[in-house]
Amino acid sequence: EEREPLHRLVRRLADARLLVTGGDPGDETVEIIHDALLQQWGRLKHWRVEQREFYLWRQRLDERLQEWEEKGQDEDALLRGALLAEAERWRAERSEGLNPGERRYIRKSVGLQEREQAAGERLRRRIILGLAGGLLVALVLAVTAGLGWQSSATNERSLATEAALHPTARADAET
């Protein structure tokens, strides 16, 4: 039923004697009678290129899907990076051309990517909090050291002032 519009188009083109259909049910074939159709009909040419790209990509996807299933659905065999971006694009454009297993494989890959991004975000937040905490401790230590230095300098000035005011008291204290 998802391919019914395509079947209707093929029947119309076959009725117009532009295509020849044949084969057994489930293994139907379609042949173009006039090569001029391939060369002159720009839209058909575009569809052929797009279909070819999609089916070549789908073959690669099926190889990856089979590898994932053979590895017991190991997360390491899921799609990542550019392969996942391409799969998401094709899924958005041609979801009806994917079987349930392929859609599930892409969905699992997207789920893994989302979990990895969330884990990366949590790690980033922890690092920022750790750095902020470290800076706070360094600031407290710097303030404490500064206050201690200021207190020491104040004591030294007080002693120097007192010594300058009472020079004889110091000399008497030393003897």
Side-chain angles (χ1 to χ4, degrees):
E1 66 190 52
E2 65 185 37
R3 293 184 173 202
E4 186 56 34
L6 179 62
H7 286 286
R8 281 196 309 267
L9 175 62
V10 168
R11 279 194 298 269
R12 284 182 60 202
L13 293 172
D15 291 346
R17 299 182 193 272
L18 298 172
L19 301 177
V20 174
T21 60
D24 298 323
D27 189 30
E28 296 97 359
T29 59
V30 176
E31 293 182 49
I32 296 176
I33 294 176
H34 302 288
D35 286 339
L37 279 176
L38 297 174
Q39 303 306 318
Q40 302 300 319
W41 192 7
R43 191 176 208 180
L44 178 62
K45 198 175 198 179
H46 174 74
W47 285 343
R48 274 187 42 222
V49 169
E50 187 177 277
Q51 280 290 90
R52 183 173 184 273
E53 288 174 7
F54 176 70
Y55 285 113
L56 288 173
W57 168 79
R58 194 166 169 213
Q59 284 178 332
R60 293 189 305 271
L61 177 70
D62 287 341
E63 290 169 5
R64 300 291 306 258
L65 172 60
Q66 184 177 358
E67 177 186 343
W68 178 63
E69 289 173 344
E70 287 171 358
K71 290 184 174 183
Q73 299 183 354
D74 184 3
E75 286 186 343
D76 288 339
L78 289 171
L79 299 171
R80 287 182 167 76
L83 295 173
L84 180 56
E86 184 179 25
E88 287 183 286
R89 179 180 66 85
W90 280 118
R91 182 179 66 170
E93 292 176 14
R94 303 281 301 270
S95 181
E96 75 285 347
L98 299 171
N99 66 42
E102 293 164 338
R103 285 193 294 268
R104 181 172 167 259
Y105 179 57
I106 294 169
R107 194 172 50 252
K108 292 280 188 181
S109 298
V110 169
L112 175 63
Q113 179 187 43
E114 289 170 352
R115 287 191 308 277
E116 287 176 342
Q117 286 174 344
E121 182 62 27
R122 284 190 303 272
L123 177 61
R124 188 180 71 78
R125 276 192 231 126
R126 280 191 219 123
I127 289 171
I128 289 171
L129 286 173
L131 289 173
L135 284 172
L136 183 61
V137 167
L139 180 63
V140 167
L141 291 174
V143 167
T144 303
L147 290 174
W149 176 80
Q150 185 180 14
S151 176
S152 173
T154 302
N155 286 342
E156 283 182 27
R157 279 194 303 271
S158 294
L159 288 175
T161 303
E162 193 166 320
L165 293 176
H166 306 294
T168 54
R170 187 174 183 177
D172 292 338
E174 288 178 0
T175 54

